[in-house]
Amino acid sequence: MACKTTPGEWKYAIEMLKRSALPKMEEEVFPLLKFSYENLPITMKSCLLYCCMYPEDYCIPRKRLTEYWFCEGLLNEFDRISEAQMQGDYIISSLLSACLLERGGEIGGEDCVKMHDVIRDMALWITCELEASENNIFVKTGVQLLEEPDVKAWEDAKRMSVMKNKIEVLRGTPTCPNLKTLFLRENKLEVISDGFFHFIPHLTVLNLSENRTIRALPKGISQLISLECLDLSYTGITELPIELKSLKKLKMLELSYMYYLRKIPPHLITSFSKLQIFRMNHCQITEDYPEEDNVLNGNNELLIEELKSLQHLNIIRIWIKGMSALERFLSFHLFRSYTQALQLSNFRESNVFNVLCLENMEHLEELCFQYCESIEEMKMEKLSTSINYAPCFHTLNRVSILNCNKLTDVTWLILAPNLRFLSIYGCAKMEEILSEEKLGEVTDVVGIPNPKPFMKLETLDLGNLPELKSIYWDTLPFPCLKTICLWWGCPKLEKLPLNSHTTERNQVTILGREDWWATIEWENEATAGDAFLPSFRTVFK
């Protein structure tokens, strides 16, 4: 059809397609693809069929997919999720090699996979026609449903997905003795009836994420005594009900991006004795938490104390409010070992923060400083006298510095050699990202003079930095750089640490305002300026 350029030609082609006797997918195409499926091990088959619950062309986060497999019992080689990830990675790599899954790029820095439409149709065909008794899956994704499907259509299902619809209310009281996974993500849920979960005794995975209009969970959720995974991220829920105490088998609790969450009752978190994954980062920071019967009140030290009682935790992402809460958190060895993300907020005790207090966090991937308005300096002062000249933050790949109004630089980032994403916004006194004057402090820590920063950096995101004059005092190679975003409010930044060699190695996109771009000075206007002109994209005029 590439050579057909008029509407008439396309309409004619559509009419011919309707009239033609095309080979039936079930008779000619699916059997060929099914050959690849049948040569998979049993566990791998189940994992592949699980993927068809996502909508067409959906980017499926690899880690989250593995966690769902683990909670549903599909990964049986390991008891701990941190170890089961290895089995999950092996299965995904095998499915990629067999062309039954495709690489789906990244979302939010997380690797994703996709299922080709035809492979997905084959998987649905297998679950509906060939293996209905073992893998009965009910899928109605992205079809504009306004209400829950008739329960008769899914009462025998083992898994159900109605993702990306417009369902507002779940009214019924379904009896689903076999249902183990229920995906309700990306709907417009406002109300779930009290009786909805009463007769789903074996539900293991419940995904309610991205229902931003729902404000409360039903008390009947206490009936889900087999639940191992509860995903409430990006919901509008304001309070976790005490009825969740009944979920004794819970292994994964996802509370990230719950901007309206104001209350968690005391002793609720401690009741999840089998919990392995606890995520509660990127939540709204506020001062209006209810004071009574609430572990979020104060500096969330009560929450930290409850987490200490959970002996099986091995993945943690959490926000911490204030230095005293951080000190208490870091005093517990398991937290230092298993924390993947920290959101540090409202630090007001001191104007200096020693970043090396975090150097023993073995698996820290993401770090965010937010509303730390008293911090003027982030120093690099060793806490022990032992000589250890390794960079301190090997695992750190994402850093955000937001609304830290007195901070002048973040030179300590040189200690993060694998940093891939850096965002800095709303820092009124930030003059330079990396300071040449503080290079000596870095040398004292790593033992190497003039270490090259940002060798793995892919995205640099800057905005509302009225005093920023420099990113780095010299040009940098940036071998992995893909995007520089300067959205607004950086009027004094007149130089970028780039030269013409940067564009020779990789394609860099620079997003910014036209008036700012016109002020940029290059060391060699004739070469560097021309080299980067095709890379520039206007975001605001």
Side-chain angles (χ1 to χ4, degrees):
M1 295 300 295
C3 61
K4 310 300 182 185
T5 57
T6 67
E9 289 175 308
W10 277 76
K11 288 177 181 177
Y12 175 74
I14 290 170
E15 187 60 33
M16 290 300 101
L17 277 173
K18 289 177 180 177
R19 294 184 183 184
S20 64
L22 292 173
K24 292 183 178 179
M25 296 289 281
E26 292 87 347
E27 294 178 5
E28 299 189 21
V29 179
F30 288 167
L32 298 175
L33 297 174
K34 185 170 172 282
F35 177 79
S36 294
Y37 169 79
E38 288 177 338
N39 280 276
L40 298 175
I42 293 175
T43 297
M44 214 170 283
K45 286 181 179 179
S46 298
C47 291
L48 177 69
L49 297 181
Y50 202 97
C51 297
C52 74
M53 291 198 297
Y54 292 89
E56 288 186 4
D57 298 318
Y58 197 86
C59 289
I60 309 170
R62 289 179 60 144
K63 285 185 178 180
R64 188 60 52 89
L65 180 61
T66 296
E67 288 163 2
Y68 290 160
W69 289 345
F70 174 75
C71 288
E72 222 209 60
L74 299 180
L75 307 181
N76 49 19
E77 292 183 6
F78 301 97
D79 295 326
R80 294 165 61 84
I81 180 59
S82 55
E83 297 166 345
Q85 286 283 0
M86 294 186 294
Q87 185 184 1
D89 287 341
Y90 169 75
I91 289 172
I92 290 172
S93 296
S94 299
L95 294 174
L96 287 168
S97 297
C99 297
L100 293 170
L101 288 180
E102 302 174 352
R103 300 188 187 281
E106 290 186 2
I107 293 181
E110 187 170 351
D111 287 338
C112 296
V113 293
K114 280 185 175 182
M115 189 175 235
H116 190 281
D117 292 352
V118 176
I119 302 294
R120 181 175 179 271
D121 289 342
M122 177 203 67
L124 290 170
W125 172 65
I126 289 172
T127 60
C128 295
E129 302 291 335
L130 302 184
E131 300 179 8
S133 58
E134 298 176 25
N135 290 294
N136 187 358
I137 299 179
F138 180 90
V139 179
K140 292 284 184 182
T141 59
V143 292
Q144 307 297 308
L145 290 178
L146 299 177
E147 56 186 24
E148 64 193 271
D150 185 349
V151 69
K152 290 181 180 179
W154 55 280
E155 60 186 356
D156 295 323
K158 185 177 180 180
R159 303 184 185 109
M160 175 180 177
S161 176
V162 287
M163 288 175 60
K164 296 192 75 171
N165 283 295
K166 297 182 178 181
I167 301 170
E168 296 181 1
V169 180
L170 297 176
R171 294 187 176 88
T173 307
T175 300
C176 304
N178 304 317
L179 194 64
K180 295 193 72 175
T181 291
L182 177 57
F183 283 1
L184 293 162
R185 178 183 170 92
E186 291 180 71
N187 275 278
K188 297 185 180 296
L189 281 178
E190 296 179 4
V191 177
I192 302 175
S193 72
D194 243 6
F196 187 81
F197 295 123
H198 276 208
F199 303 106
I200 315 179
H202 297 111
L203 192 65
T204 306
V205 176
L206 176 58
N207 185 345
L208 288 167
S209 62
E210 293 211 40
N211 282 283
R212 300 172 191 268
T213 50
I214 192 169
R215 291 291 181 262
L217 291 171
K219 292 183 178 181
I221 200 169
S222 63
Q223 301 298 312
L224 299 180
I225 56 174
S226 299
L227 201 66
E228 296 190 15
C229 169
L230 179 58
D231 189 344
L232 302 176
S233 58
Y234 292 99
T235 61
I237 292 167
T238 60
E239 177 179 346
L240 296 189
I242 195 65
E243 286 76 14
L244 290 176
K245 265 194 169 186
S246 301
L247 312 185
K248 301 296 185 183
K249 295 184 178 181
L250 203 64
K251 292 180 181 177
M252 172 181 167
L253 181 60
E254 176 62 83
L255 306 176
S256 297
Y257 300 94
M258 291 182 68
Y259 297 122
Y260 298 94
L261 185 62
R262 293 292 177 268
K263 185 177 180 180
I264 298 178
H267 313 301
L268 175 60
I269 300 299
T270 55
S271 67
F272 306 139
S273 60
K274 296 186 178 181
L275 200 68
Q276 296 196 31
I277 304 171
F278 179 82
R279 295 193 183 98
M280 189 183 174
N281 58 319
H282 297 293
C283 294
Q284 184 69 34
I285 307 306
T286 182
E287 304 292 337
D288 66 345
Y289 294 115
E291 294 185 5
E292 295 184 4
D293 299 326
N294 186 10
V295 299
L296 298 182
N297 187 38
N299 284 4
N300 72 346
E301 293 183 36
L302 294 174
L303 173 62
I304 292 169
E305 286 302 310
E306 294 211 5
L307 289 173
K308 280 185 179 180
S309 69
L310 304 178
Q311 299 302 309
H312 299 287
L313 272 181
N314 55 96
I315 294 178
I316 305 169
R317 301 174 81 91
I318 191 172
W319 68 270
I320 292 179
K321 186 178 176 184
M323 191 65 202
S324 61
L326 178 61
E327 289 172 349
R328 180 167 293 192
F329 184 82
L330 294 176
S331 69
F332 196 51
H333 170 70
L334 288 179
F335 290 166
R336 296 199 305 272
S337 300
Y338 298 130
T339 300
Q340 294 182 349
L342 272 181
Q343 178 186 357
L344 305 179
S345 305
N346 296 69
F347 279 48
R348 296 170 180 165
E349 295 92 335
S350 172
N351 60 359
V352 176
F353 180 82
N354 184 10
V355 292
L356 295 193
C357 72
L358 305 174
E359 68 173 328
N360 292 323
M361 303 193 74
E362 302 168 19
H363 298 99
L364 188 64
E365 299 173 359
E366 182 177 341
L367 181 59
C368 175
F369 291 89
Q370 186 176 16
Y371 297 109
C372 299
E373 298 187 8
S374 66
I375 296 179
E376 299 176 10
E377 179 185 5
M378 291 185 178
K379 66 179 181 179
M380 296 161 278
E381 186 175 295
K382 274 192 163 293
L383 301 179
S384 66
T385 56
S386 62
I387 299 176
N388 178 12
Y389 285 143
C392 304
F393 302 104
H394 264 299
T395 57
L396 193 62
N397 62 63
R398 180 180 292 269
V399 172
S400 302
I401 314 286
L402 310 173
N403 300 300
C404 299
N405 283 326
K406 294 184 180 180
L407 194 61
T408 58
D409 69 272
V410 283
T411 307
W412 68 271
L413 290 174
I414 297 178
L415 304 179
N418 296 309
L419 187 67
R420 296 171 59 201
F421 305 94
L422 174 60
S423 298
I424 305 177
Y425 279 85
C427 300
K429 294 190 177 180
M430 181 81 66
E431 296 182 2
E432 47 194 351
I433 306 300
L434 306 180
S435 169
E436 188 173 10
E437 291 181 5
K438 293 186 177 180
L439 192 59
E441 290 184 42
V442 177
T443 303
D444 290 342
V445 175
V446 300
I448 303 171
N450 302 319
K452 284 290 183 186
F454 300 149
M455 294 300 286
K456 299 287 182 67
L457 193 69
E458 297 176 16
T459 300
L460 177 61
D461 205 352
L462 307 174
N464 197 16
L465 306 170
E467 298 300 321
L468 184 67
K469 299 181 180 69
S470 167
I471 294 172
Y472 189 73
W473 57 89
D474 199 358
T475 57
L476 288 170
F478 285 120
C480 300
L481 190 64
K482 298 176 182 177
T483 308
I484 298 178
C485 305
L486 287 108
W487 299 105
W488 75 92
C490 302
K492 296 184 180 181
L493 183 63
E494 297 179 350
K495 282 190 175 183
L496 297 176
L498 308 173
N499 57 34
S500 55
H501 297 297
T502 308
T503 55
E504 294 173 3
R505 283 186 293 269
N506 50 314
Q507 184 62 48
V508 179
T509 299
I510 303 173
L511 303 173
R513 292 169 55 114
E514 283 185 0
D515 54 351
W516 165 78
W517 180 251
T519 66
I520 293 295
E521 300 174 4
W522 304 96
E523 288 187 3
N524 186 331
E525 290 285 347
T527 56
D530 291 342
F532 284 102
L533 188 59
S535 303
F536 179 69
R537 303 286 185 275
T538 302
V539 289
F540 293 115
K541 292 191 176 181

